[in-house]
Amino acid sequence: MKIHDYENHPQLANVLTPVDEVRTVLDGTACFVLDMDGTIYLGATLFPFTLDFLTAVRAAGKRWLWFTNNSSRAPEEYLERLAGFGIPASRDEFLMSTDVALDWLGRERAGETAYVVGTPSLREAFAAAGIVPDDPEADYVVLGFDTTLTYAKLVTACDLLRAGRPLYLVNMDYNCPVEGGFIPDAGSLAALLERSTGVTGPSFGKPTRTCLDFILRRTGCRESGLTFVGDRLYTDIAIARDAEARSILVLSGEATVADCLTTDAAPDAVVRSLADLIPLLGVTS
Ligand SMILES: [Mg+2]
């Protein structure tokens, strides 16, 4: 149950962080911001160590928050999935890129309408937040991870961008991992819009500072007490690069040993998986 065979990579020992340094990161952590796919499960299968990791976090007097960049699904779908794994979570304990986008747009573009290129659940989230999601004369264009994309939506979005409306990306991931490989995500669709119109725009999920600030406000955590844990270098890890927050890369998902040797995302720690953290959480220094 691994995307790649990191265990047998000849350079594995060179990229793993010494245990004492990992423990220092854990000791300074009050709240873990946990990525989901590739970190706690792969596809439909929960990793065998995930529940033990969460138990160890709780026993150490620390807490966690779930955060996913995936803007194609409704939060309820994730909460159901977690509950199905035996991990009941409340809406307060689960945040996603869509939450960051709605918070920012609600404040900075108050009273304006949107043209949302996204799934029905993303458009419903906008409507529920009081933002018209399907105005063909919209004040701005929103692009999410639209697994229901049509050519007509692309044409309308490009028309609006050419007419000078700004573009906002709910998340900027290029691909979404699925069982058997990857499918194109919002960042790849944004490249298509940019190629056609020359217009690009800011995004809201990991790795943006907007996302980090949103999490700080919602958790009430000090930035130095926040540690992002995830399997993707350019989102889960990059968000903490120029911040007081820290990051732990797990090799159980997308990032490979070879990626670790060349990245500039600078994780504070690299471990095989959450399993490596369990014994270190049990020891306080
Ligand atoms: Mg992931």
Side-chain angles (χ1 to χ4, degrees):
M1 196 170 57
K2 282 182 292 202
I3 293 180
H4 48 88
D5 182 20
Y6 54 85
E7 288 293 355
N8 290 314
H9 195 288
Q11 299 270 37
L12 176 65
N14 294 334
V15 304
L16 292 178
T17 303
V19 165
D20 284 353
E21 288 177 37
V22 179
R23 186 177 286 133
T24 300
V25 174
L26 297 180
D27 285 352
T29 302
C31 180
F32 293 97
V33 182
L34 298 175
D35 175 56
M36 302 180 79
D37 216 332
T39 302
I40 65 158
Y41 55 68
L42 206 54
T45 311
L46 190 70
F47 288 133
F49 44 74
T50 297
L51 295 177
D52 287 343
F53 169 75
L54 297 175
T55 300
V57 169
R58 193 175 280 129
K62 303 173 189 297
R63 62 185 172 130
W64 67 83
L65 173 78
W66 305 105
F67 192 100
T68 179
N69 258 10
N70 188 331
S71 60
S72 74
R73 296 180 191 279
E76 292 73 24
E77 291 179 64
Y78 282 102
L79 295 179
E80 270 172 36
R81 186 170 214 186
L82 285 170
F85 288 138
I87 310 170
S90 69
R91 184 64 177 88
D92 284 349
E93 297 165 317
F94 172 85
L95 297 175
M96 58 194 297
S97 54
T98 308
D99 296 320
V100 186
L102 289 172
D103 175 73
W104 191 92
L105 292 167
R107 286 185 286 113
E108 302 292 330
R109 313 280 320 202
E112 298 185 313
T113 62
Y115 184 75
V116 178
V117 180
T119 55
S121 67
L122 181 64
R123 295 201 301 276
E124 283 163 21
F126 271 73
I131 302 173
V132 174
D134 51 8
D135 180 3
E137 304 285 316
D139 298 298
Y140 57 86
V141 176
V142 172
L143 177 63
F145 174 22
D146 190 1
T147 52
T148 60
L149 185 69
T150 64
Y151 200 81
K153 285 198 229 178
L154 288 174
V155 169
T156 302
C158 286
D159 283 347
L160 286 165
L161 296 178
R162 279 192 200 90
R165 308 298 200 281
L167 173 67
Y168 300 102
L169 312 184
V170 185
N171 60 296
M172 55 70 75
D173 309 60
Y174 301 121
N175 288 299
C176 177
V178 292
E179 258 157 303
F182 296 94
I183 55 175
D185 203 325
S188 296
L189 303 180
L192 190 158
L193 295 186
E194 184 177 9
R195 204 61 189 243
S196 175
T197 66
V199 177
T200 185
S203 65
F204 293 109
K206 296 176 283 190
T208 67
R209 182 70 217 188
T210 312
C211 180
L212 179 50
D213 287 339
F214 177 77
I215 292 171
L216 291 172
R217 283 204 311 279
R218 289 291 289 262
T219 59
C221 248
R222 282 174 40 198
E223 186 174 331
S224 58
L226 214 57
T227 297
F228 287 81
V229 184
D231 66 309
R232 180 175 279 179
L233 285 160
Y234 70 86
T235 54
D236 302 322
I237 302 307
I239 190 170
R241 182 176 54 190
D242 297 317
E244 283 183 55
R246 280 171 285 195
S247 65
I248 299 175
L249 179 75
V250 292
L251 295 173
S252 51
E254 181 179 300
T256 64
V257 171
D259 293 334
C260 293
L261 294 168
T262 55
T263 183
D264 60 0
D268 292 282
V270 179
V271 296
R272 292 179 184 83
S273 71
L274 294 180
D276 283 357
L277 303 177
I278 296 170
L280 304 180
L281 279 162
V283 181
T284 51
S285 55

